[in-house]
Amino acid sequence: MTTTATETTFGIGAIEGDVYANKFFGIEFALPEGFSFYSANQLADMNAATASANNDQAVVEAHEGGSAFFDMGATSENDPNGSIVMHITGPDAAAPDEAGYFAAAKDKIINQLKDVGVTVKSSETGTYTNRKTGDEFTAMKLAIESQGASMYEEVICIKADDYYMTATATATDEDGLDSVLSHLIRIFG
């Protein structure tokens, strides 16, 4: 479901207390219990690591040029595998909507995971429905293995105007994914 930006000019998100909100994309994420937000330095390190470690020149250039970046990250203090990150990407003419984004990016996402030593066991695209609010998001779910541990990732895509935001949740089981993603809601104006 492509949305119209709730603010007319592109903007990054902001954290107030335990809530991250991005009015441009019309979303809000309240920290689940036991989670904490990444610091600005941690996000900067993630952006730098993505640019330096990626084999895809377009991704490197996007991160180095500032048209793609991590806007928010949060991790579980109790589960080292429990996390969520918000990634924003600039205009992409090849992807007219969220489903088009995954059609264009699915192989790239899988290859990026393989490049960092993650085994992708399965992947499927479809819809994630928030069990608390009923909000629906275009999503890609992955079963992965990293350093001998089986995990799950769900990547949600949100489009506003010509920009894309992905919210990637990682957990050791599918219920853990839902317990994190159920805190992601749509807000409007």
Side-chain angles (χ1 to χ4, degrees):
M1 169 197 295
T2 302
T3 61
T4 302
T6 60
E7 289 188 351
T8 56
T9 57
F10 172 77
I12 62 172
I15 295 173
E16 260 187 59
D18 288 344
V19 177
Y20 162 87
N22 188 305
K23 292 181 181 174
F24 180 77
F25 285 97
I27 60 101
E28 181 177 279
F29 178 77
L31 277 179
E33 187 175 332
F35 273 67
S36 59
F37 287 117
Y38 291 0
S39 69
N41 287 341
Q42 288 172 306
L43 290 174
D45 289 347
M46 287 172 60
N47 283 311
T50 299
S52 69
N54 204 291
N55 289 335
D56 186 330
Q57 188 61 31
V59 174
V60 171
E61 290 172 5
H63 275 269
E64 289 177 346
S67 64
F69 57 91
F70 292 102
D71 194 37
M72 184 278 285
T75 188
S76 170
E77 297 158 0
N78 302 322
D79 178 0
N81 297 317
S83 66
I84 183 166
V85 293
M86 304 290 191
H87 188 259
I88 296 175
T89 307
D92 185 348
D97 58 16
E98 288 96 339
Y101 175 88
F102 283 125
K106 182 177 179 177
D107 290 341
K108 187 181 291 186
I109 292 168
I110 290 169
N111 288 334
Q112 288 170 346
L113 289 168
K114 288 178 181 177
D115 287 347
V116 295
V118 174
T119 301
V120 177
K121 296 179 183 178
S122 67
S123 65
E124 62 182 55
T125 55
T127 303
Y128 170 76
T129 302
N130 185 312
R131 62 182 160 85
K132 291 181 181 177
T133 65
D135 291 333
E136 289 191 350
F137 299 93
T138 302
M140 182 170 90
K141 187 180 283 187
L142 301 136
I144 61 175
E145 187 172 309
S146 177
Q147 299 176 350
S150 293
M151 294 183 289
Y152 294 88
E153 280 194 356
E154 188 139 5
V155 183
I156 289 174
C157 183
I158 303 159
K159 182 177 190 276
D161 291 342
D162 291 331
Y163 294 86
Y164 295 86
M165 171 183 276
T166 57
T168 303
T170 305
T172 52
D173 58 39
E174 292 184 69
D175 290 338
L177 281 178
D178 190 52
S179 69
V180 172
L181 291 174
S182 66
H183 292 265
L184 179 68
I185 63 169
R186 292 192 189 274
I187 57 172
F188 299 96

